[in-house]
Amino acid sequence: MHYKPEGFTIGALAAAADVGVETIRFYQRRGLLNEPDRPPGGVRRYGKQDVARVRFIKAAQQLGFSLDEVNGLLLLDDGTHCDDARVLAEHKLAMVKDKLAGLRQIERALSDMISQCKSSRGNVCCPMIMALQS
């Protein structure tokens, strides 16, 4: 019978978490993920908790949290800091709402410029280009 070591190699961890190996290494350099000890003559092994941690980091990033903010959330991971995590999420939500308001303003401006372009066929100057130059 052939002995198979427990845990994930860095490549298997990356595959299980649906990221690249360089992402794992980057998270380690940023202090978001611990690098396990290498046994003498062996390969570092990661556990299921490491897969969950990488997935958590990616999920938080998809919600717009920066890596510094993700690190803050990870520090609150003992379950007793729900109020602190909520405050961070409320702050992030306010930032997202501000960005959305800005994007809506850009959308209106672009729509207006496009409408002006459609209605000014045959003019010498393009209204959109003129608006961007002023």
Side-chain angles (χ1 to χ4, degrees):
M1 185 169 169
H2 185 6
Y3 170 73
K4 184 175 180 186
E6 297 275 329
F8 299 89
T9 62
I10 192 168
L13 169 64
D18 199 26
V19 298
V21 170
E22 285 307 313
T23 300
I24 301 296
R25 290 187 177 124
F26 178 71
Y27 290 168
Q28 289 171 333
R29 286 191 303 271
R30 290 291 304 260
L32 297 167
L33 181 68
N34 291 327
E35 186 174 15
D37 293 330
R38 182 189 313 264
V43 175
R44 288 185 175 91
R45 295 289 172 170
Y46 298 83
K48 291 180 182 177
Q49 74 281 2
D50 296 311
V51 174
R53 189 173 184 98
V54 173
R55 287 181 179 162
F56 174 89
I57 294 166
K58 293 306 294 178
Q61 284 184 292
Q62 288 173 342
L63 289 173
F65 287 96
S66 69
L67 289 179
D68 287 337
E69 292 168 329
V70 170
N71 193 38
L73 289 170
L74 288 168
L75 293 173
L76 302 174
D77 190 29
D78 66 2
T80 62
H81 295 90
C82 193
D83 286 341
D84 295 332
R86 180 187 45 77
V87 168
L88 287 172
E90 287 172 345
H91 177 69
K92 180 55 65 181
L93 179 59
M95 290 174 60
V96 167
K97 286 180 177 182
D98 287 345
K99 285 181 184 179
L100 285 172
L103 287 172
R104 282 190 211 94
Q105 189 174 14
I106 292 169
E107 177 187 30
R108 284 190 298 275
L110 286 171
S111 292
D112 290 347
M113 286 184 207
I114 291 167
S115 294
Q116 289 175 14
C117 282
K118 286 180 180 178
S119 66
S120 70
R121 300 239 179 228
N123 287 354
V124 176
C125 296
C126 173
M128 188 166 93
I129 298 210
M130 294 297 290
L132 293 172
Q133 288 177 341
S134 55

